[in-house]
Amino acid sequence: MLKELFHFLIYPGFLFLAIAGGFLSWFDRKVTAMLQFRKGPPVLQPFFDFLKLLLVKETILPAKGSRITFLLAPVFSLFGATVAGILIFLPLLNIKTGFAGDLIVIFYLLAIPSLAFMIGAMASGNPLASVGASREMKLMMSYELTFLLVIAGIIMKANMNIGLYDILNTQKETGAFIGSISGVLLFIATVFCVQAQLGLVPFDMAEAETEINHGSFIEYSGSVYAIVKLTKYIMLFILPAFVVTVFMGGLSWEGINILWSVLKILSVVLLITLIRNTNPRVKIKQAMRYFFIWMNLLVIIAIILIIFGL
Amino acid sequence: MLKLGFKSYIFKKSLWLFHFGGASCNNCDIEILDCLTPRYDVERFGMLLVGSVRHADVLLISGSINQKDKVRLLEIYKQAPKPILVVAIGACSCTGGIFAEGNVFAGPVDKIIPVDAYIPGCPPKPEAILAGIFKLLKKK
Ligand code: SF4
């Protein structure tokens, strides 16, 4: 019992995810700064931001709108992200506990943060937040289908197994999924889904700072916004980890492999950061068309290739 | 305002800026944006420009405040989560500058809300803006 609690709260649970996510968030900002020939923030910056919001700033509740929903939405999003993270990391670090999640559970848990942000934005009673929420909803509708198709493709590649342990074992036997043509196509689609799920450019229309002033998060302040930030840090860690699990053969923590594991995660984050820094924000209509037509087409081609064993 | 050492340390390490442009001639606004460019890069001190006043720690005010701006400035100040620092940038917001005699002028910023730092100049150089913010940090 104590061991399970340790796994859920400390390693690889909440604390580990939060700290690693914070460092990845710094990495993302530093790379962005370097691409723009700037110096960038210090390493501890994400933690300063979080602690400042949590401890120093005042929390303002909206006068109109539902306060309880407004306050609870970030808590739910944090919960969803953490549980999804734990279910991804238990197989990834090869820790055996009683409960093992599978791809379908993770798929639904990963949708919780976006959903909760949407509900919180709707509850804040701010018109710009509603615009953000409606965009978030449309974006979700477009990328979730692609993501589901990707998951179908992964399951087919893993000989119809849906457990993450089985997927990792299959990759150990046959090589990482990214080594085949269909794997590469699925990987491309997944990276764009991850981009949309994290709400980064080109799919950041839900919180467009320059256009609708942080959209969904416009009314959040103080400790509630700190929880939102923490959720974002965790998401920035677990989604690349998920990509590494299902495409790159997972991680291992023995000897020189530690370096490899860290490099795998960092390279996926680097890819995401590069995409975000070299693209403009697209309109929601364009994003929907992009996912509905092009990404779905890509994944369907990949699935056909899988059937032919490529 | 900030008594505990740890809290004020954290606060100083992560200041998020919100820019309120009054009836500015736009030069001060451009100089503020200059601070974010690669040459000056305030992000290395943890400062970020945010779009919503709910996330702001520092209210940068540029330009003269006229009768219509006054109402909005008060509204923005009330909406900001405390503690909030107010910095008046440019001669216009410090004293009124060349608009001080105008008939729609509603007084320099410190007649409307409490100001923590003044950065004079028309417009102040980005170096002056950075220096002003650092003096403010040392004062607390
Ligand atoms: S202080 Fe000078 S540069 Fe700045 S807004 Fe006023 S007139 Fe323009």
Side-chain angles (χ1 to χ4, degrees):
Chain A
M1 183 64 205
L2 216 60
K3 204 166 142 246
E4 259 104 59
L5 263 184
F6 175 77
H7 283 324
F8 279 91
L9 288 179
I10 300 180
Y11 180 83
F14 177 68
L15 208 64
F16 171 68
L17 293 177
I19 291 175
F23 276 113
L24 282 181
S25 167
W26 167 78
F27 179 74
D28 170 57
R29 281 172 69 175
K30 186 80 180 174
V31 170
T32 307
M34 274 155 70
L35 286 175
Q36 298 168 350
F37 304 105
R38 293 191 283 120
K39 206 162 153 252
V43 186
L44 290 178
Q45 191 57 44
F47 304 103
F48 288 139
D49 286 351
F50 172 72
L51 286 175
K52 175 203 73 178
L53 287 168
L54 188 69
L55 299 175
V56 185
K57 296 299 278 185
E58 177 192 13
T59 305
I60 297 177
L61 295 180
K64 304 190 185 90
S66 162
R67 292 175 190 197
I68 304 231
T69 322
F70 179 76
L71 284 177
L72 278 183
V75 179
F76 275 114
S77 68
L78 181 62
F79 177 76
T82 313
V83 176
I86 292 166
L87 291 186
I88 291 170
F89 271 92
L90 285 178
L92 203 49
L93 302 170
N94 215 355
I95 299 168
K96 296 259 191 309
T97 53
F99 184 68
D102 54 41
L103 275 178
I104 312 290
V105 178
I106 289 169
F107 172 76
Y108 281 107
L109 283 173
L110 284 178
I112 288 182
S114 311
L115 260 178
F117 288 153
M118 217 159 72
I119 293 169
M122 294 282 196
S124 72
N126 186 311
L128 289 182
S130 316
V131 173
S134 106
R135 288 182 184 181
E136 177 92 47
M137 197 186 312
K138 286 176 198 145
L139 189 62
M140 240 180 116
M141 270 162 28
S142 34
Y143 73 73
E144 289 290 77
L145 180 62
T146 312
F147 200 44
L148 203 57
L149 284 174
V150 166
I151 282 179
I154 295 165
I155 293 172
M156 286 169 78
K157 271 183 104 62
N159 308 326
M160 297 299 168
N161 283 319
I162 57 170
L164 281 182
Y165 289 102
D166 302 322
I167 290 173
L168 285 172
N169 284 337
T170 318
Q171 291 191 61
K172 263 186 205 124
E173 284 156 22
T174 62
F177 286 167
I178 199 170
S180 57
I181 305 173
S182 53
V184 172
L185 294 185
L186 287 180
F187 178 78
I188 295 171
T190 316
V191 167
F192 282 107
C193 288
V194 166
Q195 199 86 7
Q197 213 149 17
L198 290 170
L200 296 176
V201 192
F203 305 114
D204 71 330
M205 55 295 268
E207 52 171 313
E209 291 97 356
T210 43
E211 180 187 347
I212 50 171
N213 302 351
H214 295 282
S216 321
F217 309 119
I218 187 168
E219 286 291 329
Y220 282 108
S221 64
S223 36
V224 198
Y225 192 52
I227 297 178
V228 171
K229 277 272 165 201
L230 191 62
T231 312
K232 297 222 144 195
Y233 297 164
I234 292 181
M235 290 296 274
L236 188 60
F237 184 34
I238 62 175
L239 284 170
F242 178 73
V243 174
V244 168
T245 315
V246 295
F247 290 112
M248 299 183 176
L251 311 174
S252 77
W253 299 109
E254 284 144 14
I256 191 72
N257 285 334
I258 294 178
L259 190 68
W260 265 116
S261 310
V262 174
L263 275 183
K264 273 182 194 168
I265 299 251
L266 283 187
S267 63
V268 176
V269 179
L270 185 69
L271 186 64
I272 290 169
T273 311
L274 286 182
I275 294 175
R276 126 177 145 96
N277 277 301
T278 46
N279 281 286
R281 180 185 309 136
V282 295
K283 285 185 219 153
I284 183 69
K285 201 173 77 187
Q286 293 166 321
M288 288 179 83
R289 188 181 307 137
Y290 185 73
F291 278 109
F292 273 141
I293 299 178
W294 301 116
M295 283 295 120
N296 284 353
L297 192 67
L298 195 72
V299 181
I300 287 170
I301 291 173
I303 289 180
I304 293 170
L305 287 179
I306 294 167
I307 294 174
F308 286 109
L310 281 167
Chain B
M1 182 160 65
L2 294 165
K3 293 222 176 59
L4 288 167
F6 179 66
K7 280 191 185 179
S8 83
Y9 175 75
I10 296 279
F11 185 62
K12 281 178 195 171
K13 282 282 180 186
S14 151
L15 290 176
W16 288 358
L17 318 170
F18 180 80
H19 179 193
F20 179 91
S24 164
C25 79
N26 242 269
N27 260 346
C28 280
D29 304 340
I30 293 169
E31 297 300 324
I32 290 174
L33 291 182
D34 253 5
C35 294
L36 304 167
T37 53
R39 193 179 173 94
Y40 300 104
D41 186 23
V42 286
E43 204 192 353
R44 63 203 152 113
F45 310 117
M47 297 177 191
L48 274 184
L49 198 66
V50 292
S52 161
V53 74
R54 295 272 196 238
H55 311 161
D57 304 307
V58 181
L59 208 55
L60 303 175
I61 300 172
S62 67
S64 73
I65 305 296
N66 58 28
Q67 301 291 351
K68 286 206 167 170
D69 288 337
K70 186 179 167 183
V71 187
R72 286 158 180 80
L73 179 58
L74 276 172
E75 187 68 31
I76 290 276
Y77 187 69
K78 267 189 231 143
Q79 283 182 358
K82 309 292 174 295
I84 181 116
L85 303 173
V86 180
V87 179
I89 292 180
C92 284
S93 46
C94 291
T95 62
I98 52 172
F99 301 108
E101 308 281 300
N103 59 348
V104 289
F105 185 65
V109 176
D110 56 2
K111 290 240 176 75
I112 304 169
I113 54 174
V115 174
D116 296 276
Y118 302 86
I119 302 174
C122 183
K125 283 178 144 192
E127 289 96 334
I129 297 179
L130 289 183
I133 292 180
F134 275 93
K135 273 189 192 145
L136 173 71
L137 291 185
K138 274 203 199 120
K139 197 177 88 181
K140 291 277 154 189

